[in-house]
Amino acid sequence: KNPARETSRARYNQATIGATIASLESALAQLGFNAQYCASIRARVTGGSNDVHAQYLYRTALQRTLSAKRKSFGVTPSHSTAR
């Protein structure tokens, strides 16, 4: 039985999004932005929610922010963390 109606794809995506978010937060930290900066992005984008959809919104916001900050600093990524 699957009372939560959760598919294996949903479970896989939920597991991998955490790693992607950690990678993006790490890339921002390397540019000098601390955890409080990321926390403020998360709060603004998710509105305090922590479900899978909110995590996707947060990941997308981090990708946009990282891209913009790299442009403003003139940094070329050695590998792409954004998809």
Coordinates of all heavy atoms in Angstrom, one line a residue:
K1 N 0.8 -1.2 0.0 CA 0.0 0.0 0.0 C 0.9 1.2 0.0 O 2.0 1.3 0.5 CB -0.9 0.0 1.2 CG -2.0 -1.1 1.2 CD -2.9 -0.9 2.4 CE -3.9 -2.0 2.3 NZ -4.9 -1.9 3.4
N2 N 0.4 2.3 -0.6 CA 1.1 3.5 -0.7 C 0.1 4.7 -0.3 O -0.4 5.4 -1.1 CB 1.6 3.7 -2.1 CG 2.5 4.9 -2.3 OD1 2.8 5.6 -1.3 ND2 2.9 5.2 -3.5
P3 N -0.1 4.8 1.1 CA -1.1 5.8 1.5 C -0.7 7.2 1.2 O -1.6 8.1 1.0 CB -1.2 5.5 3.0 CG 0.1 4.9 3.4 CD 0.5 4.1 2.2
A4 N 0.6 7.5 1.1 CA 1.0 8.9 0.8 C 1.0 9.1 -0.7 O 1.2 10.2 -1.2 CB 2.4 9.1 1.3
R5 N 0.7 8.1 -1.5 CA 0.7 8.2 -3.0 C 2.0 8.7 -3.5 O 2.1 9.5 -4.4 CB -0.5 9.0 -3.5 CG -1.8 8.6 -2.9 CD -2.9 8.9 -3.9 NE -4.3 8.7 -3.3 CZ -4.8 7.5 -2.9 NH1 -4.0 6.5 -3.0 NH2 -6.0 7.4 -2.5
E6 N 3.0 8.2 -2.9 CA 4.4 8.6 -3.2 C 5.0 7.6 -4.2 O 5.1 6.4 -3.9 CB 5.2 8.7 -2.0 CG 6.5 9.5 -2.1 CD 7.1 9.7 -0.7 OE1 7.6 8.7 -0.2 OE2 7.1 10.8 -0.3
T7 N 5.5 8.1 -5.3 CA 6.1 7.2 -6.3 C 7.6 7.0 -6.0 O 8.2 7.9 -5.3 CB 5.9 7.7 -7.7 OG1 6.5 8.9 -7.9 CG2 4.4 7.9 -8.0
S8 N 8.2 6.0 -6.6 CA 9.6 5.9 -6.5 C 10.3 7.1 -7.1 O 11.4 7.5 -6.6 CB 10.1 4.6 -7.1 OG 9.8 4.5 -8.5
R9 N 9.8 7.6 -8.2 CA 10.4 8.8 -8.8 C 10.4 10.0 -7.9 O 11.3 10.7 -7.7 CB 9.6 9.2 -10.1 CG 10.2 10.4 -10.7 CD 9.5 10.7 -12.0 NE 9.8 9.7 -13.0 CZ 10.0 9.9 -14.3 NH1 9.8 11.1 -14.7 NH2 10.3 9.0 -15.1
A10 N 9.3 10.2 -7.2 CA 9.2 11.3 -6.2 C 10.2 11.1 -5.1 O 10.8 12.1 -4.6 CB 7.7 11.4 -5.6
R11 N 10.3 9.9 -4.6 CA 11.3 9.6 -3.5 C 12.7 9.9 -4.0 O 13.5 10.4 -3.3 CB 11.1 8.2 -3.0 CG 9.9 8.0 -2.1 CD 9.9 6.6 -1.5 NE 10.0 5.5 -2.4 CZ 8.9 4.9 -2.9 NH1 7.7 5.4 -2.6 NH2 9.0 3.9 -3.8
Y12 N 13.0 9.5 -5.2 CA 14.3 9.7 -5.8 C 14.6 11.2 -5.9 O 15.7 11.7 -5.6 CB 14.5 9.0 -7.2 CG 15.7 9.3 -7.9 CD1 17.0 8.8 -7.5 CD2 15.7 10.3 -8.9 CE1 18.1 9.1 -8.2 CE2 16.9 10.6 -9.5 CZ 18.1 10.0 -9.2 OH 19.3 10.4 -9.8
N13 N 13.7 11.9 -6.5 CA 13.8 13.3 -6.7 C 14.0 14.1 -5.4 O 14.8 15.0 -5.3 CB 12.6 13.9 -7.4 CG 12.6 13.5 -8.9 OD1 13.7 13.2 -9.5 ND2 11.5 13.6 -9.5
Q14 N 13.3 13.6 -4.3 CA 13.4 14.2 -3.0 C 14.8 14.0 -2.5 O 15.4 14.9 -1.8 CB 12.3 13.7 -2.1 CG 12.2 14.5 -0.8 CD 11.0 14.0 0.0 OE1 10.4 13.0 -0.3 NE2 10.7 14.7 1.1
A15 N 15.3 12.8 -2.7 CA 16.7 12.5 -2.2 C 17.7 13.3 -2.9 O 18.7 13.8 -2.3 CB 16.9 11.0 -2.3
T16 N 17.6 13.5 -4.2 CA 18.6 14.1 -5.0 C 18.6 15.7 -4.9 O 19.6 16.3 -5.0 CB 18.6 13.7 -6.5 OG1 17.3 14.1 -7.0 CG2 18.9 12.3 -6.6
I17 N 17.4 16.2 -4.6 CA 17.3 17.7 -4.6 C 18.1 18.2 -3.4 O 18.7 19.3 -3.5 CB 15.9 18.2 -4.6 CG1 15.8 19.7 -4.9 CG2 15.2 17.9 -3.3 CD1 14.5 20.2 -5.3
G18 N 18.2 17.5 -2.3 CA 19.0 17.9 -1.2 C 20.4 18.1 -1.5 O 21.1 19.0 -1.1
A19 N 21.0 17.1 -2.3 CA 22.4 17.2 -2.7 C 22.6 18.4 -3.6 O 23.6 19.1 -3.5 CB 22.8 15.9 -3.3
T20 N 21.7 18.6 -4.5 CA 21.8 19.7 -5.4 C 21.8 21.1 -4.7 O 22.6 22.0 -5.0 CB 20.6 19.7 -6.5 OG1 20.7 18.4 -7.1 CG2 20.8 20.8 -7.5
I21 N 20.9 21.2 -3.7 CA 20.8 22.4 -2.9 C 22.1 22.6 -2.1 O 22.6 23.7 -2.1 CB 19.6 22.4 -2.0 CG1 18.3 22.5 -2.8 CG2 19.7 23.4 -0.9 CD1 17.0 22.3 -2.0
A22 N 22.6 21.6 -1.5 CA 23.9 21.7 -0.8 C 25.0 22.1 -1.7 O 25.8 23.0 -1.3 CB 24.2 20.3 -0.1
S23 N 25.0 21.6 -2.9 CA 26.1 22.0 -3.9 C 26.0 23.5 -4.3 O 27.0 24.2 -4.3 CB 26.0 21.1 -5.1 OG 26.8 21.6 -6.1
L24 N 24.7 23.9 -4.5 CA 24.5 25.4 -4.8 C 24.9 26.3 -3.6 O 25.5 27.3 -3.8 CB 23.1 25.6 -5.2 CG 22.7 24.9 -6.6 CD1 21.2 24.9 -6.7 CD2 23.3 25.7 -7.7
E25 N 24.5 25.9 -2.4 CA 24.8 26.7 -1.3 C 26.3 26.7 -1.1 O 26.9 27.8 -0.7 CB 24.2 26.1 0.0 CG 22.7 26.3 0.0 CD 22.0 25.6 1.2 OE1 22.6 24.6 1.7 OE2 20.9 26.0 1.6
S26 N 27.0 25.6 -1.3 CA 28.5 25.6 -1.2 C 29.1 26.5 -2.3 O 30.1 27.2 -2.0 CB 29.0 24.2 -1.4 OG 30.4 24.1 -1.5
A27 N 28.6 26.6 -3.5 CA 29.1 27.4 -4.5 C 28.9 28.9 -4.1 O 29.8 29.7 -4.4 CB 28.4 27.1 -5.8
L28 N 27.8 29.2 -3.5 CA 27.6 30.6 -3.1 C 28.5 30.9 -1.9 O 29.0 32.1 -1.8 CB 26.1 30.8 -2.6 CG 25.1 31.0 -3.7 CD1 23.7 31.0 -3.2 CD2 25.4 32.4 -4.4
A29 N 28.8 30.0 -1.0 CA 29.7 30.2 0.1 C 31.1 30.5 -0.5 O 31.9 31.3 0.1 CB 29.7 29.0 1.0
Q30 N 31.5 29.8 -1.5 CA 32.8 30.1 -2.1 C 32.9 31.5 -2.7 O 34.0 32.0 -2.8 CB 33.1 29.1 -3.2 CG 33.4 27.7 -2.7 CD 33.5 26.6 -3.8 OE1 33.4 26.9 -5.0 NE2 33.8 25.4 -3.4
L31 N 31.8 32.1 -3.0 CA 31.8 33.5 -3.5 C 31.7 34.5 -2.3 O 31.7 35.7 -2.6 CB 30.6 33.7 -4.5 CG 30.7 33.0 -5.8 CD1 29.4 33.2 -6.6 CD2 31.9 33.4 -6.6
G32 N 31.6 33.9 -1.1 CA 31.6 34.8 0.1 C 30.2 35.1 0.7 O 30.1 35.9 1.5
F33 N 29.2 34.3 0.3 CA 27.8 34.5 0.8 C 27.6 33.4 1.9 O 27.7 32.2 1.6 CB 26.8 34.4 -0.3 CG 26.9 35.5 -1.3 CD1 27.7 35.3 -2.5 CD2 26.4 36.8 -1.1 CE1 27.8 36.3 -3.4 CE2 26.6 37.8 -2.0 CZ 27.3 37.6 -3.1
N34 N 27.3 33.9 3.1 CA 27.1 33.0 4.2 C 25.8 32.2 4.3 O 24.9 32.5 3.4 CB 27.4 33.7 5.5 CG 26.4 34.8 5.8 OD1 25.3 34.9 5.2 ND2 26.8 35.7 6.7
A35 N 25.7 31.4 5.2 CA 24.4 30.6 5.4 C 23.2 31.5 5.7 O 22.1 31.1 5.2 CB 24.6 29.6 6.5
Q36 N 23.4 32.6 6.3 CA 22.3 33.5 6.6 C 21.7 34.1 5.3 O 20.5 34.2 5.1 CB 22.7 34.6 7.5 CG 21.6 35.6 7.9 CD 20.5 34.9 8.7 OE1 20.7 34.0 9.4 NE2 19.3 35.3 8.4
Y37 N 22.6 34.3 4.3 CA 22.2 34.8 3.0 C 21.3 33.7 2.3 O 20.2 34.1 1.8 CB 23.4 35.1 2.1 CG 23.1 35.7 0.8 CD1 22.8 37.1 0.7 CD2 23.1 34.9 -0.3 CE1 22.5 37.6 -0.5 CE2 22.8 35.5 -1.6 CZ 22.5 36.8 -1.7 OH 22.2 37.4 -2.9
C38 N 21.7 32.5 2.4 CA 20.9 31.4 1.8 C 19.6 31.2 2.6 O 18.5 30.9 2.0 CB 21.7 30.1 1.8 SG 23.1 30.1 0.6
A39 N 19.7 31.3 3.9 CA 18.4 31.2 4.7 C 17.4 32.3 4.4 O 16.2 32.0 4.3 CB 18.8 31.2 6.2
S40 N 17.9 33.5 4.1 CA 16.9 34.5 3.7 C 16.3 34.3 2.4 O 15.1 34.6 2.2 CB 17.6 35.9 3.8 OG 18.6 36.0 2.7
I41 N 17.1 33.7 1.4 CA 16.5 33.3 0.1 C 15.4 32.2 0.3 O 14.4 32.3 -0.2 CB 17.6 32.8 -0.8 CG1 18.6 33.9 -1.2 CG2 17.0 32.2 -2.1 CD1 19.8 33.5 -2.0
R42 N 15.8 31.2 1.1 CA 14.8 30.1 1.4 C 13.5 30.7 2.0 O 12.4 30.3 1.6 CB 15.5 29.1 2.3 CG 14.5 27.9 2.6 CD 15.1 26.9 3.6 NE 16.3 26.2 3.2 CZ 16.2 25.0 2.7 NH1 15.1 24.4 2.5 NH2 17.4 24.4 2.3
A43 N 13.7 31.5 3.0 CA 12.5 32.1 3.7 C 11.6 32.9 2.7 O 10.4 32.8 2.7 CB 12.9 32.9 4.9
R44 N 12.2 33.7 1.9 CA 11.5 34.5 1.0 C 10.8 33.7 -0.1 O 9.6 34.0 -0.4 CB 12.4 35.6 0.3 CG 11.8 36.6 -0.5 CD 12.7 37.7 -1.0 NE 14.0 37.2 -1.5 CZ 15.1 37.4 -0.9 NH1 15.2 38.0 0.2 NH2 16.2 37.0 -1.5
V45 N 11.5 32.7 -0.6 CA 10.9 31.9 -1.7 C 9.9 30.9 -1.2 O 8.9 30.7 -1.9 CB 12.1 31.2 -2.5 CG1 11.5 30.2 -3.5 CG2 12.9 32.2 -3.1
T46 N 10.1 30.2 -0.1 CA 9.3 29.1 0.3 C 8.2 29.5 1.2 O 7.2 28.8 1.4 CB 10.1 28.0 1.0 OG1 10.7 28.5 2.2 CG2 11.2 27.5 0.1
G47 N 8.3 30.7 1.8 CA 7.3 31.1 2.8 C 7.2 30.2 4.0 O 6.2 30.1 4.6
G48 N 8.3 29.6 4.4 CA 8.4 28.7 5.5 C 8.0 27.3 5.3 O 8.1 26.4 6.2
S49 N 7.5 27.0 4.1 CA 7.1 25.6 3.7 C 8.4 24.8 3.5 O 9.4 25.3 3.0 CB 6.2 25.6 2.5 OG 5.9 24.3 2.2
N50 N 8.3 23.5 3.7 CA 9.5 22.6 3.5 C 9.2 21.4 2.8 O 9.8 20.3 2.9 CB 10.1 22.2 4.9 CG 11.6 21.8 4.7 OD1 12.2 22.2 3.7 ND2 12.1 20.9 5.6
D51 N 8.1 21.4 2.0 CA 7.7 20.3 1.2 C 8.6 20.2 -0.1 O 9.4 21.0 -0.3 CB 6.2 20.3 0.8 CG 5.8 21.5 0.0 OD1 6.7 22.4 -0.3 OD2 4.6 21.6 -0.3
V52 N 8.4 19.2 -0.9 CA 9.2 19.0 -2.1 C 9.1 20.2 -3.1 O 10.0 20.6 -3.6 CB 8.8 17.7 -2.8 CG1 9.6 17.5 -4.1 CG2 9.1 16.5 -1.9
H53 N 7.8 20.7 -3.2 CA 7.6 21.8 -4.1 C 8.5 23.0 -3.7 O 9.1 23.7 -4.5 CB 6.2 22.2 -4.2 CG 5.9 23.3 -5.1 ND1 6.1 23.3 -6.5 CD2 5.5 24.6 -4.8 CE1 5.8 24.5 -7.0 NE2 5.4 25.3 -6.0
A54 N 8.4 23.3 -2.4 CA 9.2 24.4 -1.8 C 10.7 24.2 -2.0 O 11.4 25.2 -2.3 CB 8.9 24.5 -0.3
Q55 N 11.2 23.0 -1.9 CA 12.6 22.7 -2.2 C 12.9 23.0 -3.6 O 14.0 23.5 -3.9 CB 12.9 21.3 -1.8 CG 12.9 21.0 -0.3 CD 13.3 19.6 0.0 OE1 13.2 18.7 -0.8 NE2 13.7 19.4 1.2
Y56 N 12.0 22.6 -4.6 CA 12.3 23.0 -6.0 C 12.3 24.5 -6.2 O 13.2 25.0 -6.9 CB 11.2 22.3 -6.9 CG 11.5 20.9 -7.2 CD1 10.8 19.9 -6.6 CD2 12.5 20.5 -8.1 CE1 11.0 18.6 -6.9 CE2 12.8 19.2 -8.3 CZ 12.0 18.2 -7.7 OH 12.3 16.9 -8.0
L57 N 11.4 25.2 -5.5 CA 11.4 26.7 -5.7 C 12.8 27.2 -5.1 O 13.3 28.1 -5.7 CB 10.3 27.3 -4.9 CG 8.9 27.0 -5.4 CD1 7.8 27.5 -4.5 CD2 8.7 27.6 -6.8
Y58 N 13.2 26.7 -4.0 CA 14.5 27.2 -3.4 C 15.6 26.8 -4.3 O 16.5 27.7 -4.5 CB 14.6 26.5 -2.0 CG 15.9 26.9 -1.3 CD1 16.3 28.2 -1.1 CD2 16.7 25.9 -0.8 CE1 17.4 28.5 -0.5 CE2 17.9 26.2 -0.1 CZ 18.2 27.5 0.1 OH 19.4 27.9 0.7
R59 N 15.7 25.6 -4.8 CA 16.8 25.2 -5.7 C 16.8 26.2 -6.9 O 17.9 26.7 -7.3 CB 16.6 23.8 -6.2 CG 17.7 23.4 -7.2 CD 17.4 22.2 -8.0 NE 16.3 22.5 -8.9 CZ 15.7 21.7 -9.7 NH1 16.1 20.4 -9.6 NH2 14.8 22.0 -10.5
T60 N 15.7 26.5 -7.5 CA 15.6 27.4 -8.7 C 16.1 28.8 -8.3 O 16.8 29.4 -9.1 CB 14.2 27.4 -9.3 OG1 13.8 26.1 -9.6 CG2 14.1 28.3 -10.5
A61 N 15.7 29.3 -7.2 CA 16.1 30.6 -6.7 C 17.7 30.6 -6.5 O 18.3 31.6 -6.8 CB 15.4 31.0 -5.4
L62 N 18.2 29.5 -5.9 CA 19.6 29.4 -5.7 C 20.4 29.4 -7.1 O 21.4 30.1 -7.2 CB 20.0 28.2 -4.9 CG 19.7 28.2 -3.4 CD1 20.1 26.9 -2.8 CD2 20.5 29.4 -2.7
Q63 N 19.8 28.7 -8.0 CA 20.5 28.7 -9.4 C 20.5 30.0 -10.0 O 21.5 30.5 -10.6 CB 19.7 27.7 -10.3 CG 19.9 26.2 -9.9 CD 19.0 25.3 -10.6 OE1 17.9 25.7 -11.1 NE2 19.4 24.0 -10.8
R64 N 19.4 30.8 -9.9 CA 19.3 32.1 -10.5 C 20.3 33.0 -9.8 O 21.0 33.8 -10.4 CB 17.9 32.7 -10.3 CG 16.9 32.2 -11.3 CD 15.6 33.0 -11.3 NE 15.1 33.3 -10.0 CZ 14.1 32.5 -9.4 NH1 13.6 31.5 -10.0 NH2 13.7 32.8 -8.2
T65 N 20.3 33.0 -8.4 CA 21.2 33.8 -7.6 C 22.6 33.5 -8.0 O 23.4 34.5 -8.2 CB 20.9 33.6 -6.1 OG1 19.5 33.9 -5.9 CG2 21.8 34.5 -5.3
L66 N 23.0 32.3 -8.0 CA 24.4 31.9 -8.3 C 24.8 32.4 -9.7 O 25.9 32.9 -9.8 CB 24.6 30.4 -8.2 CG 26.0 29.8 -8.4 CD1 27.0 30.5 -7.4 CD2 26.0 28.3 -8.3
S67 N 23.9 32.2 -10.6 CA 24.2 32.7 -12.0 C 24.5 34.2 -12.0 O 25.4 34.7 -12.6 CB 23.1 32.3 -12.9 OG 23.3 32.8 -14.2
A68 N 23.6 34.9 -11.3 CA 23.7 36.4 -11.3 C 25.0 36.8 -10.6 O 25.7 37.7 -11.0 CB 22.5 37.0 -10.7
K69 N 25.3 36.2 -9.5 CA 26.5 36.5 -8.7 C 27.8 36.2 -9.5 O 28.7 37.0 -9.4 CB 26.5 35.8 -7.3 CG 25.3 36.2 -6.4 CD 25.3 37.7 -6.2 CE 24.2 38.1 -5.3 NZ 24.0 39.5 -5.1
R70 N 27.8 35.1 -10.2 CA 28.9 34.8 -11.0 C 29.2 35.8 -12.1 O 30.3 36.2 -12.4 CB 28.8 33.4 -11.6 CG 29.1 32.3 -10.6 CD 28.9 30.9 -11.2 NE 29.4 29.9 -10.3 CZ 29.0 28.6 -10.4 NH1 28.2 28.2 -11.3 NH2 29.5 27.7 -9.5
K71 N 28.1 36.2 -12.7 CA 28.2 37.3 -13.7 C 28.7 38.6 -13.1 O 29.6 39.2 -13.7 CB 26.8 37.5 -14.4 CG 26.4 36.5 -15.4 CD 25.1 36.9 -16.0 CE 24.7 35.9 -17.1 NZ 23.4 36.3 -17.7
S72 N 28.2 39.0 -12.0 CA 28.6 40.2 -11.4 C 30.1 40.2 -10.9 O 30.7 41.2 -10.9 CB 27.7 40.6 -10.2 OG 27.8 39.8 -9.1
F73 N 30.5 39.0 -10.5 CA 31.9 38.9 -10.0 C 32.8 38.5 -11.2 O 34.1 38.5 -11.0 CB 32.1 37.8 -9.0 CG 31.5 38.2 -7.6 CD1 30.4 37.6 -7.1 CD2 32.2 39.2 -6.9 CE1 29.9 38.0 -5.8 CE2 31.7 39.6 -5.6 CZ 30.6 39.0 -5.1
G74 N 32.3 38.2 -12.3 CA 33.1 37.8 -13.5 C 33.7 36.4 -13.3 O 34.8 36.2 -13.8
V75 N 33.0 35.5 -12.6 CA 33.5 34.2 -12.3 C 33.0 33.2 -13.3 O 31.8 33.2 -13.5 CB 33.2 33.8 -10.9 CG1 33.6 32.3 -10.6 CG2 33.8 34.7 -9.9
T76 N 33.8 32.4 -13.9 CA 33.4 31.3 -14.7 C 33.4 30.1 -14.0 O 34.4 29.7 -13.4 CB 34.3 31.2 -15.9 OG1 34.6 32.5 -16.5 CG2 33.7 30.3 -17.0
P77 N 32.2 29.4 -13.9 CA 32.2 28.1 -13.2 C 33.1 27.0 -13.8 O 33.1 26.9 -15.0 CB 30.7 27.7 -13.2 CG 30.2 28.4 -14.4 CD 31.0 29.6 -14.6
S78 N 33.7 26.3 -12.9 CA 34.6 25.2 -13.4 C 33.7 24.0 -13.9 O 34.1 23.3 -14.7 CB 35.6 24.7 -12.3 OG 34.8 24.3 -11.2
H79 N 32.5 23.9 -13.3 CA 31.5 22.9 -13.7 C 30.2 23.4 -13.3 O 30.0 24.2 -12.4 CB 31.8 21.5 -13.0 CG 31.7 21.6 -11.5 ND1 30.5 21.6 -10.8 CD2 32.7 21.6 -10.6 CE1 30.8 21.6 -9.5 NE2 32.1 21.6 -9.4
S80 N 29.2 23.1 -14.1 CA 27.9 23.6 -13.8 C 27.1 22.8 -12.8 O 27.0 21.6 -12.8 CB 27.1 23.6 -15.2 OG 25.8 24.0 -14.9
T81 N 26.6 23.6 -11.8 CA 25.8 22.9 -10.7 C 24.3 23.1 -11.0 O 23.5 22.5 -10.4 CB 26.1 23.5 -9.3 OG1 25.9 24.9 -9.4 CG2 27.5 23.2 -8.9
A82 N 24.1 24.0 -12.0 CA 22.7 24.2 -12.3 C 22.3 23.4 -13.6 O 23.1 23.2 -14.5 CB 22.5 25.7 -12.6
R83 N 21.1 23.0 -13.6 CA 20.6 22.2 -14.8 C 19.6 23.0 -15.5 O 18.8 23.7 -15.0 CB 20.1 20.9 -14.3 CG 21.1 20.0 -13.8 CD 20.6 18.7 -13.5 NE 21.7 17.9 -13.0 CZ 21.8 16.6 -13.2 NH1 20.9 15.9 -13.9 NH2 22.8 15.9 -12.8

